[in-house]
Amino acid sequence: MKKILVFTGAGVSAESGIKTFRDYDGLWENYRIEDVATPEAWKKNPELVNQFYNERRKQLSSVQPNKAHHLIAELEKNFEVNVVTQNVDDLHERAGSKNIIHLHGELKKVRSTLASNLIYDWEGDLTFEDKCAKGSKMRPHIVWFGEYLNENYLFEARKLATQADYCIVIGTSMLVYPANEIPTFVKEDCTIFLVDPNANEIPFKTRNKLVRIAEKATDGMEKVMNMLNI
Ligand code: OAD
Protein backbone atom coordinates (compact mmCIF):
# COMPACT_ATOMS: atom_id res chain seq x y z
CA MET A 1 0.00 0.00 0.00
CA LYS A 2 1.20 3.50 -0.80
CA LYS A 3 1.69 5.84 2.11
CA ILE A 4 0.08 9.22 2.69
CA LEU A 5 1.05 11.82 5.24
CA VAL A 6 -1.77 14.26 5.99
CA PHE A 7 -0.53 17.40 7.71
CA THR A 8 -3.31 19.61 9.06
CA GLY A 9 -3.83 22.96 10.73
CA ALA A 10 -6.76 24.95 12.04
CA GLY A 11 -8.28 25.38 8.56
CA VAL A 12 -9.32 21.73 8.33
CA SER A 13 -11.68 22.31 11.27
CA ALA A 14 -12.91 25.75 10.15
CA GLU A 15 -15.97 24.35 8.36
CA SER A 16 -16.89 22.52 11.58
CA GLY A 17 -17.19 25.93 13.23
CA ILE A 18 -13.87 26.10 15.07
CA LYS A 19 -12.05 29.39 14.59
CA THR A 20 -8.61 29.44 13.05
CA PHE A 21 -5.87 31.47 14.74
CA ARG A 22 -4.64 34.00 12.21
CA ASP A 23 -7.55 34.60 9.83
CA TYR A 24 -9.79 37.66 10.10
CA ASP A 25 -11.63 37.30 13.43
CA GLY A 26 -9.35 34.38 14.31
CA LEU A 27 -8.53 33.45 17.91
CA TRP A 28 -5.34 35.51 17.98
CA GLU A 29 -7.30 38.60 16.96
CA ASN A 30 -9.57 38.20 19.95
CA TYR A 31 -7.02 37.08 22.54
CA ARG A 32 -3.41 38.03 23.08
CA ILE A 33 -1.13 35.01 22.79
CA GLU A 34 0.87 36.37 25.75
CA ASP A 35 -2.25 36.33 27.94
CA VAL A 36 -3.43 32.77 27.33
CA ALA A 37 -0.87 30.63 25.52
CA THR A 38 2.52 31.04 27.19
CA PRO A 39 4.15 29.72 30.39
CA GLU A 40 4.30 33.34 31.59
CA ALA A 41 0.53 33.67 31.19
CA TRP A 42 0.08 30.53 33.27
CA LYS A 43 2.26 32.01 36.02
CA LYS A 44 0.56 35.39 35.91
CA ASN A 45 -3.08 34.48 35.45
CA PRO A 46 -3.73 30.73 35.42
CA GLU A 47 -7.49 31.26 35.87
CA LEU A 48 -7.65 33.10 32.55
CA VAL A 49 -5.57 30.41 30.83
CA ASN A 50 -7.81 27.66 32.21
CA GLN A 51 -10.89 29.61 31.19
CA PHE A 52 -9.57 30.00 27.64
CA TYR A 53 -8.97 26.25 27.22
CA ASN A 54 -12.12 25.30 29.15
CA GLU A 55 -14.12 27.27 26.59
CA ARG A 56 -12.30 25.57 23.71
CA ARG A 57 -12.85 22.14 25.29
CA LYS A 58 -16.52 22.88 25.87
CA GLN A 59 -16.96 23.92 22.25
CA LEU A 60 -15.87 20.46 21.10
CA SER A 61 -19.14 18.95 22.28
CA SER A 62 -21.10 21.23 19.95
CA VAL A 63 -19.09 20.69 16.75
CA GLN A 64 -18.79 17.73 14.42
CA PRO A 65 -16.09 16.50 12.05
CA ASN A 66 -16.69 17.86 8.56
CA LYS A 67 -16.42 16.19 5.18
CA ALA A 68 -12.69 16.89 4.97
CA HIS A 69 -12.05 14.97 8.21
CA HIS A 70 -14.22 12.14 6.89
CA LEU A 71 -12.50 11.99 3.52
CA ILE A 72 -9.11 11.90 5.25
CA ALA A 73 -10.33 8.90 7.27
CA GLU A 74 -11.68 7.32 4.09
CA LEU A 75 -8.23 7.43 2.51
CA GLU A 76 -7.37 4.50 4.79
CA LYS A 77 -9.36 2.17 2.53
CA ASN A 78 -6.74 2.63 -0.17
CA PHE A 79 -3.60 3.90 1.57
CA GLU A 80 -1.56 3.63 4.70
CA VAL A 81 -2.39 7.00 6.23
CA ASN A 82 -0.78 8.98 9.02
CA VAL A 83 -2.25 12.25 10.19
CA VAL A 84 0.09 14.77 11.78
CA THR A 85 -1.93 17.66 13.11
CA GLN A 86 -1.22 20.98 14.78
CA ASN A 87 -4.81 20.98 16.00
CA VAL A 88 -5.79 20.37 19.58
CA ASP A 89 -9.36 19.32 18.75
CA ASP A 90 -10.42 15.69 18.41
CA LEU A 91 -12.19 15.87 15.05
CA HIS A 92 -9.76 13.58 13.20
CA GLU A 93 -10.32 10.92 15.86
CA ARG A 94 -14.09 11.33 15.68
CA ALA A 95 -14.04 11.04 11.89
CA GLY A 96 -12.29 7.69 12.25
CA SER A 97 -8.64 8.37 11.41
CA LYS A 98 -6.52 5.82 13.22
CA ASN A 99 -2.95 7.09 13.25
CA ILE A 100 -2.82 10.63 14.58
CA ILE A 101 -0.01 12.66 16.07
CA HIS A 102 -1.02 15.86 17.87
CA LEU A 103 2.09 18.02 17.72
CA HIS A 104 0.61 20.87 19.80
CA GLY A 105 -1.24 18.83 22.41
CA GLU A 106 -4.88 17.94 22.96
CA LEU A 107 -7.78 19.84 24.51
CA LYS A 108 -9.25 16.65 25.90
CA LYS A 109 -6.18 15.94 27.99
CA VAL A 110 -4.66 17.69 30.99
CA ARG A 111 -1.42 17.03 32.79
CA SER A 112 0.31 17.41 36.10
CA THR A 113 2.35 20.57 36.66
CA LEU A 114 4.74 18.44 38.72
CA ALA A 115 5.30 15.43 36.44
CA SER A 116 4.67 16.06 32.76
CA ASN A 117 4.21 12.34 32.12
CA LEU A 118 1.10 12.28 34.30
CA ILE A 119 -1.47 12.91 31.58
CA TYR A 120 -5.22 12.43 31.99
CA ASP A 121 -8.14 12.26 29.60
CA TRP A 122 -10.39 15.18 30.44
CA GLU A 123 -13.99 16.23 29.86
CA GLY A 124 -15.48 19.43 31.27
CA ASP A 125 -13.73 22.29 33.03
CA LEU A 126 -10.30 22.14 34.61
CA THR A 127 -10.09 23.94 37.99
CA PHE A 128 -7.47 24.31 40.69
CA GLU A 129 -9.37 21.80 42.82
CA ASP A 130 -8.37 19.15 40.30
CA LYS A 131 -5.13 17.48 41.34
CA CYS A 132 -2.88 14.87 39.76
CA ALA A 133 -2.07 11.53 41.43
CA LYS A 134 0.83 13.23 43.24
CA GLY A 135 -1.43 15.97 44.59
CA SER A 136 -0.27 18.78 42.30
CA LYS A 137 -2.17 21.28 40.25
CA MET A 138 -2.92 20.37 36.66
CA ARG A 139 -2.64 22.38 33.46
CA PRO A 140 -4.00 22.05 29.93
CA HIS A 141 -2.07 19.51 27.82
CA ILE A 142 -1.17 22.12 25.25
CA VAL A 143 2.19 23.20 23.84
CA TRP A 144 2.39 26.90 24.60
CA PHE A 145 4.51 29.43 22.80
CA GLY A 146 8.03 29.20 24.16
CA GLU A 147 7.67 25.50 25.06
CA TYR A 148 9.24 22.54 23.32
CA LEU A 149 7.24 20.05 21.32
CA ASN A 150 7.35 16.42 22.41
CA GLU A 151 10.63 15.19 20.89
CA ASN A 152 9.30 11.69 20.21
CA TYR A 153 6.30 13.03 18.32
CA LEU A 154 8.47 15.36 16.30
CA PHE A 155 10.90 12.58 15.46
CA GLU A 156 8.08 10.23 14.48
CA ALA A 157 6.35 12.90 12.36
CA ARG A 158 9.57 13.60 10.46
CA LYS A 159 10.13 9.89 9.90
CA LEU A 160 6.59 9.45 8.58
CA ALA A 161 7.18 12.36 6.20
CA THR A 162 10.32 10.74 4.77
CA GLN A 163 8.34 7.55 4.09
CA ALA A 164 5.30 9.12 2.41
CA ASP A 165 4.46 8.72 -1.29
CA TYR A 166 1.95 11.58 -1.09
CA CYS A 167 1.65 14.44 1.34
CA ILE A 168 -1.58 16.40 1.80
CA VAL A 169 -1.23 19.70 3.65
CA ILE A 170 -4.54 21.25 4.68
CA GLY A 171 -5.55 24.51 6.33
CA THR A 172 -2.34 25.80 7.83
CA SER A 173 -0.60 29.13 7.39
CA MET A 174 2.69 27.20 7.75
CA LEU A 175 4.00 29.93 10.05
CA VAL A 176 4.68 28.00 13.23
CA TYR A 177 8.07 26.33 13.66
CA PRO A 178 9.04 23.51 14.00
CA ALA A 179 5.72 21.95 12.93
CA ASN A 180 5.85 23.79 9.60
CA GLU A 181 9.01 21.89 8.68
CA ILE A 182 7.35 18.47 8.69
CA PRO A 183 6.16 18.51 5.05
CA THR A 184 9.64 19.53 3.92
CA PHE A 185 11.02 16.17 5.06
CA VAL A 186 9.27 14.23 2.28
CA LYS A 187 11.34 12.34 -0.27
CA GLU A 188 12.04 13.75 -3.72
CA ASP A 189 9.34 11.91 -5.63
CA CYS A 190 6.55 12.60 -3.11
CA THR A 191 3.78 14.74 -4.56
CA ILE A 192 2.53 17.43 -2.17
CA PHE A 193 -1.06 18.71 -2.30
CA LEU A 194 -1.63 22.03 -0.58
CA VAL A 195 -5.32 22.63 0.24
CA ASP A 196 -6.19 26.07 1.58
CA PRO A 197 -8.33 28.95 0.28
CA ASN A 198 -5.07 30.90 0.49
CA ALA A 199 -2.99 28.17 -1.11
CA ASN A 200 -1.41 30.50 -3.63
CA GLU A 201 -0.07 32.87 -0.97
CA ILE A 202 1.23 30.31 1.49
CA PRO A 203 5.03 30.19 1.62
CA PHE A 204 6.14 26.70 0.67
CA LYS A 205 9.68 26.10 -0.48
CA THR A 206 10.10 22.72 -2.11
CA ARG A 207 11.62 21.02 -5.12
CA ASN A 208 8.85 18.43 -5.03
CA LYS A 209 5.84 18.42 -7.29
CA LEU A 210 3.51 20.83 -5.49
CA VAL A 211 -0.20 20.97 -6.36
CA ARG A 212 -1.78 24.11 -4.91
CA ILE A 213 -5.54 23.74 -4.47
CA ALA A 214 -7.06 27.10 -3.51
CA GLU A 215 -10.25 25.72 -1.97
CA LYS A 216 -11.77 25.16 1.42
CA ALA A 217 -10.83 21.88 3.07
CA THR A 218 -14.03 20.02 2.11
CA ASP A 219 -13.99 20.91 -1.60
CA GLY A 220 -10.22 20.69 -1.74
CA MET A 221 -10.17 17.18 -0.25
CA GLU A 222 -12.71 16.05 -2.85
CA LYS A 223 -10.36 17.29 -5.55
CA VAL A 224 -7.44 15.49 -3.96
CA MET A 225 -9.49 12.27 -3.86
CA ASN A 226 -10.22 12.67 -7.58
CA MET A 227 -6.56 13.28 -8.36
CA LEU A 228 -5.67 10.15 -6.42
CA ASN A 229 -8.34 8.28 -8.43
CA ILE A 230 -10.46 7.40 -5.42
P1 OAD B 1 -3.59 29.55 11.22
O1 OAD B 1 -4.75 30.25 11.82
O2 OAD B 1 -2.27 30.19 11.30
O3 OAD B 1 -3.88 29.26 9.69
C1 OAD B 1 -5.13 28.74 9.29
C2 OAD B 1 -5.09 28.45 7.82
O4 OAD B 1 -6.33 27.87 7.49
C3 OAD B 1 -4.91 29.70 6.93
O5 OAD B 1 -3.91 29.43 5.96
C4 OAD B 1 -6.28 29.85 6.28
O6 OAD B 1 -6.21 30.34 4.94
C5 OAD B 1 -6.77 28.42 6.28
N1 OAD B 1 -8.24 28.25 6.21
C6 OAD B 1 -9.22 29.07 6.64
N2 OAD B 1 -10.43 28.52 6.39
C7 OAD B 1 -10.19 27.33 5.79
C8 OAD B 1 -11.03 26.28 5.29
N3 OAD B 1 -12.37 26.34 5.36
N4 OAD B 1 -10.44 25.21 4.72
C9 OAD B 1 -9.08 25.12 4.64
N5 OAD B 1 -8.25 26.07 5.10
C10 OAD B 1 -8.80 27.16 5.67
O7 OAD B 1 -3.58 28.08 11.88
P2 OAD B 1 -2.40 27.02 11.95
O8 OAD B 1 -1.52 27.09 10.77
O9 OAD B 1 -3.01 25.72 12.29
O10 OAD B 1 -0.54 26.60 18.02
O11 OAD B 1 -1.61 27.56 13.20
C11 OAD B 1 -0.51 26.86 13.68
C12 OAD B 1 -0.43 26.97 15.19
O12 OAD B 1 -0.47 28.34 15.57
C13 OAD B 1 -1.60 26.36 15.91
O13 OAD B 1 -1.46 24.97 16.11
C14 OAD B 1 -1.61 27.08 17.22
C15 OAD B 1 -1.38 28.47 16.70
O14 OAD B 1 -0.85 29.37 17.58
C16 OAD B 1 -0.68 26.50 19.34
O15 OAD B 1 -1.68 26.87 19.94
C17 OAD B 1 0.50 25.94 20.03
Side-chain angles (χ1 to χ4, degrees):
M1 255 189 181
K2 296 243 182 200
K3 297 182 179 170
I4 299 192
L5 176 78
V6 181
F7 179 72
T8 62
V12 76
S13 299
E15 287 163 272
S16 294
I18 298 181
K19 279 186 179 179
T20 63
F21 295 94
R22 294 175 184 78
D23 286 307
Y24 169 73
D25 201 32
L27 277 177
W28 295 153
E29 269 199 3
N30 296 300
Y31 293 87
R32 281 158 32 104
I33 289 175
E34 310 87 81
D35 292 340
V36 294
T38 62
E40 292 74 27
W42 177 249
K43 260 189 217 141
K44 197 171 144 201
N45 194 346
E47 285 90 355
L48 180 66
V49 175
N50 267 346
Q51 185 194 323
F52 177 74
Y53 290 102
N54 284 342
E55 279 169 17
R56 315 261 84 72
R57 192 177 306 108
K58 189 169 174 192
Q59 188 193 18
L60 290 186
S61 54
S62 64
V63 298
Q64 300 298 330
N66 64 50
K67 186 140 192 220
H69 298 102
H70 286 297
L71 290 176
I72 292 165
E74 206 179 306
L75 286 171
E76 293 183 21
K77 291 183 190 155
N78 299 282
F79 296 92
E80 192 180 315
V81 183
N82 285 285
V83 178
V84 174
T85 186
Q86 299 167 89
N87 297 346
V88 294
D89 66 51
D90 61 348
L91 297 183
H92 285 302
E93 282 86 349
R94 282 158 57 191
S97 284
K98 289 198 192 70
N99 309 312
I100 306 166
I101 294 179
H102 284 274
L103 288 176
H104 290 164
E106 293 174 68
L107 277 172
K108 286 196 151 177
K109 290 188 176 160
V110 300
R111 70 171 184 262
S112 165
T113 50
L114 183 72
S116 57
N117 60 340
L118 282 182
I119 301 168
Y120 301 88
D121 291 334
W122 207 258
E123 304 278 344
D125 287 354
L126 177 65
T127 72
F128 294 151
E129 312 304 314
D130 299 308
K131 300 276 165 36
C132 74
K134 296 194 174 181
S136 284
K137 219 162 47 182
M138 297 205 283
R139 56 163 276 180
H141 185 52
I142 301 285
V143 180
W144 289 324
F145 285 85
E147 293 188 316
Y148 289 107
L149 272 64
N150 178 312
E151 270 300 316
N152 296 331
Y153 287 177
L154 205 49
F155 180 81
E156 183 64 15
R158 287 175 182 152
K159 193 178 88 189
L160 292 169
T162 64
Q163 295 169 345
D165 299 294
Y166 300 100
C167 176
I168 309 174
V169 178
I170 311 176
T172 170
S173 55
M174 294 288 278
L175 291 175
V176 176
Y177 172 87
N180 61 357
E181 281 196 344
I182 301 295
T184 67
F185 281 86
V186 297
K187 57 190 180 188
E188 255 174 45
D189 60 348
C190 171
T191 300
I192 303 172
F193 299 93
L194 184 59
V195 178
D196 193 298
N198 261 331
N200 296 320
E201 283 81 53
I202 287 173
F204 202 107
K205 271 196 192 148
T206 178
R207 288 200 212 134
N208 288 59
K209 181 175 175 196
L210 177 65
V211 184
R212 290 183 187 261
I213 302 174
E215 303 268 4
K216 289 182 174 178
T218 51
D219 294 341
M221 258 314 287
E222 279 188 2
K223 288 204 171 158
V224 172
M225 302 292 274
N226 284 335
M227 290 180 200
L228 292 170
N229 290 323
I230 300 171

